Every structure is written in C-alpha cells, then in structure tokens.
Amino acid sequence: MIKLLLVDDSELITGGLAVLLGVETDLTIVDCVDRGERAVELCQHQPIDVVLMDVRMPGMSGVEATKIITETTNAKVIILTTFDEDKYIIEGIKNGAVGYLLKNTEPQQLVQAIRSVMKGQSILSQDVLEKAKQGFHPAQKTADLSSLTPREIEITRLVAAGLSNKQIANRLYLTEGTINNSLSTILHKLALEHRTQVAIYYLTGKAGDHDATF
C-alpha cells in the first residue's frame, strides 16, 4: 500500500484528489494539509511514501518544504503546478522533487506517476518540459553529449520525449534492464542525479544549476 500525503491550500484540490485517488486499491491517503510546515512535520513523524505538493502556499512554499522532506525523510515528492508557476520547475527538482506535473493531469496519469516514482523513476510531464525549455532559452546553450555513445544519445532523446524505460526498451528492441543500466551510465557521464535532469539537460543544455535564468 502506497501511503500518500496531499498538500495544497485549496480544499477543493485536496478534496478532489482524495476522491480520485481513494478508489485505487494500492493507494491510501494518510492526510490532507494546507501548509508546507505541516507537511514537513507529518513526513518526519510518520511513514509517508509519496507527497503530492502544491507550490504556492501561505508560509513555507512547496519547494522549500520539498527540500526539507527529501533531506530528512524517505518520502518522495511530486510537485503539482499550474502553467504560471514554471519558474519553480528547476528549483523544485534541485530541492529533490522526483516528479513535476500539471494540476490538470489526467487522474490515471497521476496514479501511474505515483506508482512510477515508487519504482525509482522520475516523472516530468511533456507540458512541463516545454515550459522548462522555453524558460531556459535553449538556443543560448546546447547540451554537450560528446561523452555519450550513439545508443546512449538515443536513449537520452527518448527520455526527453517522456518515454518510460519500458517504452524505450520496446522502441529500441532491448530489455528494460539494459535501459536501466544505460541510464545509470548516462547519469554518471553527465554528472546528473535522475532522469528528469537528463530530460531538461537534453532540451535546454542546462542541468538546473545556480546560474539558470528564468
């Protein structure tokens, strides 16, 4: 059973998510809170597997709460954002978020994202990728993939296109284990930490460092 914490200062959002996710037999909602501080406290005092985190809330923001939660607990954070919050994308990822989805994501896609992060994958919706791409002005810098083999570059391209490891394996007629190993090698060569950073780096040439311009 995957234990969820819903964090949003809108009861309409948390209530709607609770109804949508509550029908899934492998998900259980531990609590719904409206403050980043409360989310941190809950994660530090009881087992939470996945946090669905709003960005803008009174007091501690979602990206601030994400940093504390990921540094002090085992909970995985998926940030839920709206189109006008793209400036937080890299900050959220830098603070440890393993997923970044729009609030209008289809329910089944959200459920799949929750299950995917529990398997160690990172999730970034294609719409959010586009926002990152536009915000970084990719023409200013091109990703340096010279350390990668042609096959690794192709895998990187497919990761940036939003494909899962299983989908990439099917596309390239390889085993999923081979893709997992190749992605680990790609992360090491590019000095990145997870697939979300790989996607952003491929699209923008930037890895979300402190010099990123929004």
Side-chain angles (χ1 to χ4, degrees):
M1 188 69 71
I2 301 174
K3 300 178 179 65
L4 301 177
L5 174 63
L6 309 182
V7 187
D8 199 297
D9 61 345
S10 168
E11 291 186 8
L12 182 64
I13 297 295
T14 54
L17 287 173
V19 171
L20 292 171
L21 300 175
V23 301
E24 302 296 328
T25 57
D26 60 335
L27 306 180
T28 182
I29 298 169
V30 175
D31 207 342
C32 301
V33 300
D34 60 358
R35 294 290 189 276
E37 295 91 339
R38 181 59 177 151
V40 170
E41 181 182 355
L42 276 171
C43 288
Q44 290 178 338
H45 289 90
Q46 59 182 293
I48 301 291
D49 294 314
V50 178
V51 182
L52 299 184
M53 180 75 75
D54 185 25
V55 172
R56 291 184 291 194
M57 294 175 287
M60 183 182 294
S61 72
V63 291
E64 292 173 317
T66 294
K67 181 176 176 62
I68 298 173
I69 288 171
T70 57
E71 288 181 349
T72 63
T73 79
N74 292 322
K76 302 177 186 298
V77 178
I78 298 175
I79 291 181
L80 298 180
T81 183
T82 58
F83 271 113
D84 62 343
E85 294 172 336
D86 52 290
K87 67 179 182 179
Y88 296 106
I89 293 174
I90 297 303
E91 184 179 359
I93 293 170
K94 187 168 61 180
N95 283 358
V98 295
Y100 222 112
L101 301 173
L102 296 177
K103 286 185 177 180
N104 63 358
T105 297
E106 291 294 325
Q108 281 308 308
Q109 292 179 324
L110 179 56
V111 170
Q112 186 58 48
I114 293 169
R115 292 169 179 156
S116 294
V117 300
M118 286 299 294
K119 295 177 182 178
Q121 298 183 17
S122 297
I123 304 296
L124 194 67
S125 74
Q126 192 62 37
D127 289 331
V128 173
L129 277 173
E130 282 301 313
K131 296 296 285 184
K133 183 177 179 180
Q134 295 166 14
F136 275 131
H137 307 293
Q140 295 179 4
K141 185 177 179 181
T142 302
D144 180 7
L145 305 178
S146 59
S147 63
L148 306 185
T149 67
R151 173 55 57 80
E152 289 167 350
I153 292 174
E154 178 65 7
I155 291 173
T156 300
R157 184 186 69 79
L158 294 174
V159 167
L163 274 66
S164 67
N165 286 5
K166 183 176 181 179
Q167 291 171 323
I168 295 172
N170 291 337
R171 178 76 64 88
L172 300 180
Y173 302 102
L174 298 170
T175 67
E176 191 170 352
T178 298
I179 300 303
N180 291 339
N181 291 336
S182 295
L183 185 56
S184 295
T185 300
I186 291 167
L187 289 170
H188 176 73
K189 287 183 176 180
L190 299 180
L192 301 175
E193 296 180 0
H194 50 73
R195 66 188 295 121
T196 303
Q197 290 179 322
V198 171
I200 290 177
Y201 182 65
Y202 179 83
L203 292 171
T204 70
K206 291 181 178 290
D209 54 31
H210 293 285
D211 296 326
T213 301
F214 296 94

